Amino acid sequence: VIMLGQAEHSKITTCAYCGVGCGFKAEMKGNQVVRMVPWKDGKANEGHSCIKGRFAWGYATHKDRVTKPMIRKSIHEAWREVSWDEAINYAASEFRRIQAKYGKDAIGGITSSRCTNEETYLVQKLIRAAFGNNNVDTCARVCHSPTGYGLGQTFGTSAGTQTFKSVEHADVIMVIGANPSDAHPVFASRMKKRLRQGAKLIVIDPRQIDLVDGPHVKADYHLQLKPGTNVAIISALAHVIVTEGLVADAYVQERCDDKSWREWSAFVARPDNSPEAITAITGVPAETVRAAARLYATGGNAAIYYGLGVTEHAQGSTMVMGIANLAMATGNVGREGVGVNPLRGQNNVQGACDMGSFPHELPGYRHISDSTVRSQFEAAWGVTLNPEPGLRIPNMLDAAHAGEFKGMYCEGEDIVQSDPNTQHVTSALMAMECLVVQDIFLNETAKYAHVFLPGSSFLEKDGTFTNAERRISRVRKVMPPKAGYADWEVTMKLANALGYPMQYQHPSEIMAEIAALTPSFRGVSYEKIDQHGSVQWPCNENTEETGTAIMHVDKFVRGKGRFIITQYVATDEKVTRKFPLLLTTGRILSQYNVGAQTRRTENSQWHHEDRLHIHPHDAEERGIQHDAFVKIESRAGDTVLRAFVTQTMQPGVVYTTFHFPESGANVITTDNSDWATNCPEYKVTAVQVLPVMAT
Ligand code: SF4
């Protein structure tokens, strides 16, 4: 509920939804927010906002908020409200009991993009220092982990290359597997403004998203490929650029690794990578691929923006590297208006990755096996760190199934609703002896928990979020935590109960520790953010005062840019007689991810259920009427949704969102995943869709 009234005072804070990271002025009366006004000096949004950030903050005071810690011995028992001390001490004693019985590695934890940088840092520190293992992961596992891997391999750092403002200098914009109008609306507006000024647009997407043929902009080329064939397309685009002499030779010679260039250019020049050869795989006409490649290579400043339609595939990491290859070959990295720009989905998914919440990396993307780096953290933290990478989320779940993983600390992440193959997730959680969930609502994962620790919303704590352009902005406490403590304080309590002391008085002290231990954050401080509004990492003695707007300007972070061969391999998820359609998933403007926040706001009036989008041909063939219920079956499971018959789908492909738990979209997604990072293949599931007969 939006409370209108006269504001008495205000604080600047950052939106807790998508990776655009819009700045807002929270206007308050006493301790209550009365209005969220987009901040005109916010660098990411310059006074603009969308309906999520502007209106959907009422969940913070929703009646469903749980404000008392709770425990239960078994998930079949009722919850019992207890004091903070009892809940924390019980969780700590259970974790220690499990480690004594099953070994040190039998527990782990998950952090989330809902958390601030400081909170994420503390969770991975708790797991490494207090649990004594590296079994820490984050929700980036299920979204942009391939970005981290792919850009790290090719450019040397795991982040986007540009600012959002850079799009104002782009002459050609290529959008791959992203729907910014729904998922990154404020950036989409900026992009559309540039398109209206005359920039050209190439869209690579299985669906006809609104950028393709919308009211304000139309794509020059839409490569409407079949789900799962991204890598074939990117190799074909590269084939045209290499074989038609469209390469930026001087750039490649000066900036890129010669051996990798020779191997990659020979690979993409092969006839089997030609647009004509891959048409049968992708369904995209060869002449469209050729025209798009020519435009990208010769149209001036060319910028690529991509989303989860790139990463959430069995070859997600391969595709990210394919995009980086294309940008390097055409000299489109290292200046305004170009670059490779992952549109990070969540408010702080970039930060969650930066803060070392992957099992193989310490903060700042430094491998846990690096003894020099490890020794710096060991000295600061007063512990000996395990040099072996820990378990990723899917490994933790598999280990739970095998009886080897028995306890988990899960902060701000609803893995039951958000991870694929729900049945596999829930049976793993049921095999655990102590699941501790820290969240603002009793989410789907909490149904399997033994300890519930009430979380705090972004309005109840201080900290920072890092958006998709590496911009670190302040989150400011505008009302007291409803349960008494902010999330960083709860993690600190748990660490202390485990016998590992943490004594921070304020998140600024945590940031000071991050800065001291992380070269790319060396120049970051609350004082500097307060002074400038935001800073962008890398921010240190080698950068400008406010950090780095454009990366890889004179050279790549890794030195020479490295081309990597991207051989297309068909996904195992193939259509069959039993499952003849391919399902892909995505988001809608008014809702956000699993909907825990937006479903509890006025936004639900615009979209209150997930729908199954299907082409009229496929619908007619099955006797499916618009608005009628249909059953969707995959080899993982089945669910029922209402049909939405639309020409925006291509025949043979269906689509749904996953914002509502009752839809069970992830009951049907399988546990196929990216070969390098285990990011789930949400974007390709072979299904059958049949009408549900009225009874
Ligand atoms: Fe929030 Fe993203 Fe909307 Fe900005 S574009 S208001 S960050 S949801």
Side-chain angles (χ1 to χ4, degrees):
V1 175
I2 300 166
M3 300 180 57
L4 297 175
Q6 194 67 41
E8 294 167 343
H9 54 119
S10 65
K11 279 189 184 176
I12 300 300
T13 191
T14 304
C15 180
Y17 284 113
C18 86
V20 177
C22 296
F24 277 88
K25 186 164 68 168
E27 293 189 346
M28 291 175 292
K29 190 172 186 179
N31 274 338
Q32 290 193 309
V33 177
V34 294
R35 199 165 22 236
M36 293 290 273
V37 180
W39 186 32
K40 65 176 176 34
D41 294 329
K43 299 250 179 10
N45 58 317
E46 297 183 337
H48 297 278
S49 71
C50 80
I51 60 169
K52 288 189 283 281
R54 182 87 190 253
F55 301 118
W57 44 268
Y59 67 87
T61 53
H62 194 274
K63 63 176 175 48
D64 290 350
R65 285 288 301 271
V66 180
T67 57
K68 294 274 193 295
M70 302 188 294
I71 60 177
R72 57 184 175 182
K73 295 275 161 51
S74 131
I75 63 168
H76 305 296
E77 293 177 9
W79 285 109
R80 184 167 64 88
E81 287 185 2
V82 296
S83 68
W84 272 105
D85 280 350
E86 185 175 348
I88 293 284
N89 289 334
Y90 180 74
S93 66
E94 278 296 281
F95 284 145
R96 287 298 186 225
R97 179 188 65 76
I98 289 169
Q99 287 190 304
K101 184 172 176 185
Y102 300 100
K104 198 162 68 172
D105 296 336
I107 61 174
I110 300 174
T111 179
S112 154
S113 306
R114 304 272 68 76
C115 303
T116 62
N117 285 317
E118 294 76 4
E119 288 163 350
T120 298
Y121 175 85
L122 280 202
V123 171
Q124 61 88 33
K125 180 176 178 179
L126 173 138
I127 287 162
R128 294 198 156 102
F131 285 6
N133 62 46
N134 293 307
N135 294 337
V136 57
D137 211 350
T138 172
C139 55
R141 176 67 52 214
V142 297
C143 61
H144 269 287
S145 50
T147 288
Y149 181 86
L151 297 186
Q153 291 290 310
T154 48
F155 296 166
T157 196
S158 302
T161 62
Q162 311 297 117
T163 59
F164 289 133
K165 199 171 177 57
S166 165
V167 77
E168 295 168 9
H169 302 273
D171 302 307
V172 178
I173 297 169
M174 185 185 282
V175 177
I176 311 177
N179 183 14
S181 302
D182 279 304
H184 303 86
V186 168
F187 171 68
S189 299
R190 214 167 204 168
M191 177 192 285
K192 288 174 185 175
K193 183 176 171 193
R194 182 62 188 155
L195 292 168
R196 287 195 298 273
Q197 289 168 346
K200 303 290 186 193
L201 176 64
I202 301 161
V203 172
I204 302 179
D205 202 290
R207 292 196 302 137
Q208 187 182 312
I209 58 173
D210 102 307
L211 285 176
V212 172
D213 192 19
H216 306 299
V217 299
K218 295 193 192 316
D220 295 274
Y221 300 106
H222 178 203
L223 281 55
Q224 192 169 15
L225 74 180
K226 292 177 190 161
T229 64
N230 283 341
V231 172
I233 280 281
I234 207 77
S235 293
L237 290 166
H239 175 96
V240 176
I241 288 165
V242 167
T243 60
E244 295 191 5
L246 307 178
V247 170
D249 293 316
Y251 182 96
V252 170
Q253 219 170 2
E254 186 193 343
R255 299 285 307 270
C256 302
D257 171 69
D258 185 53
K259 180 168 179 285
S260 70
W261 158 254
R262 282 187 276 112
E263 289 171 355
W264 175 79
S265 56
F267 163 75
V268 295
R270 284 181 354 200
D272 59 321
N273 284 318
S274 71
E276 290 72 18
I278 59 100
T279 294
I281 297 168
T282 65
V284 182
E287 59 271 26
T288 310
V289 178
R290 286 193 178 274
R294 289 170 192 146
L295 176 59
Y296 176 76
T298 65
N301 286 341
I304 295 177
Y305 294 87
Y306 72 86
L308 302 179
V310 161
T311 56
E312 290 177 343
H313 286 273
Q315 285 198 289
S317 292
T318 313
M319 181 60 179
V320 172
M321 295 187 288
I323 290 170
N325 290 337
L326 207 64
M328 288 189 290
T330 53
N332 278 310
V333 185
R335 63 181 189 280
E336 290 275 18
V338 299
V340 174
N341 307 283
L343 294 170
R344 311 295 300 241
Q346 303 191 57
N347 55 329
N348 199 37
V349 68
Q350 180 69 57
C353 300
D354 302 341
M355 291 297 103
S357 50
F358 284 135
H360 66 295
E361 281 174 338
L362 287 158
Y365 302 100
R366 285 158 307 155
H367 205 277
I368 192 74
S369 62
D370 184 327
S371 58
T372 308
V373 175
R374 219 172 47 246
S375 64
Q376 292 162 4
F377 283 86
E378 287 174 338
W381 294 354
V383 293
T384 300
L385 294 172
N386 185 339
E388 295 295 322
L391 300 175
R392 299 168 173 176
I393 294 171
N395 306 138
M396 293 184 210
L397 300 176
D398 289 345
H401 278 286
E404 295 162 1
F405 189 85
K406 294 289 185 178
M408 181 188 277
Y409 174 43
C410 185
E411 181 174 332
E413 179 68 358
D414 189 358
I415 57 172
V416 167
Q417 200 184 334
S418 61
D419 284 35
N421 197 345
T422 309
Q423 307 80 288
H424 184 73
V425 178
T426 54
S427 52
L429 296 182
M430 283 193 282
M432 292 185 197
E433 294 181 8
C434 183
L435 172 62
V436 178
V437 168
Q438 184 171 322
D439 207 290
I440 60 174
F441 299 115
L442 216 45
N443 61 23
E444 296 300 301
T445 304
K447 290 178 179 166
Y448 302 87
H450 306 88
V451 180
F452 185 84
L453 303 174
S456 47
S457 77
F458 78 116
L459 296 173
E460 296 155 57
K461 57 196 178 189
D462 282 302
T464 56
F465 289 154
T466 306
N467 76 355
E469 46 173 7
R470 296 167 279 103
R471 186 180 301 285
I472 307 162
S473 303
R474 277 296 311 276
V475 179
R476 290 186 175 85
K477 181 174 161 181
V478 300
M479 58 191 206
K482 286 183 81 66
Y485 296 102
D487 287 302
W488 61 274
E489 294 174 292
V490 176
T491 303
M492 207 165 72
K493 277 176 173 292
L494 182 57
N496 287 320
L498 285 160
Y500 180 77
M502 286 191 190
Q503 304 293 346
Y504 307 99
Q505 301 300 313
H506 188 267
S508 58
E509 295 175 13
I510 306 171
M511 180 53 81
E513 182 174 314
I514 295 165
L517 288 167
T518 313
S520 54
F521 274 64
R522 192 97 72 215
V524 179
S525 69
Y526 278 30
E527 291 73 27
K528 192 183 281 187
I529 299 172
D530 289 347
Q531 184 186 348
H532 298 287
S534 59
V535 298
Q536 284 175 284
W537 71 259
C539 180
N540 54 31
E541 58 282 1
N542 302 319
T543 71
E544 291 182 11
E545 168 83 357
T546 54
T548 308
I550 307 290
M551 293 197 73
H552 318 294
V553 172
D554 298 318
K555 61 175 187 166
F556 287 95
V557 168
R558 71 176 303 280
K560 298 274 189 185
R562 180 157 71 126
F563 289 91
I564 300 209
I565 288 176
T566 55
Q567 176 70 54
Y568 167 70
V569 179
T571 169
D572 289 343
E573 194 65 12
K574 295 182 172 55
V575 293
T576 61
R577 282 168 69 97
K578 190 171 179 195
F579 302 119
L581 303 171
L582 289 178
L583 171 80
T584 187
T585 61
R587 293 157 174 76
I588 200 156
L589 174 63
S590 57
Q591 296 292 339
Y592 179 73
N593 284 1
V594 298
Q597 295 152 280
T598 45
R599 275 189 282 112
R600 294 180 169 95
T601 70
E602 300 289 304
N603 277 23
S604 282
Q605 67 186 295
W606 289 294
H607 180 85
H608 48 81
E609 63 178 351
D610 294 318
R611 301 281 292 265
L612 194 275
H613 293 221
I614 185 167
H615 188 273
H617 169 80
D618 292 327
E620 189 182 345
E621 200 173 69
R622 291 165 172 76
I624 292 169
Q625 303 291 320
H626 188 72
D627 272 347
F629 283 104
V630 292
K631 183 176 183 185
I632 306 126
E633 290 179 333
S634 75
R635 62 186 170 84
D638 60 75
T639 190
V640 173
L641 296 176
R642 201 187 290 274
F644 190 90
V645 180
T646 168
Q647 293 277 2
T648 62
M649 299 308 302
Q650 55 177 298
V653 179
V654 293
Y655 162 86
T656 187
T657 51
F658 54 90
H659 302 304
F660 293 84
E662 53 273 21
S663 306
N666 281 324
V667 169
I668 40 181
T669 52
T670 68
D671 42 17
N672 286 349
S673 66
D674 173 45
W675 62 272
T677 67
N678 284 133
C679 182
E681 192 183 35
Y682 291 114
K683 302 296 183 182
V684 193
T685 306
V687 296
Q688 178 58 289
V689 179
L690 295 169
V692 173
M693 297 303 172
T695 54

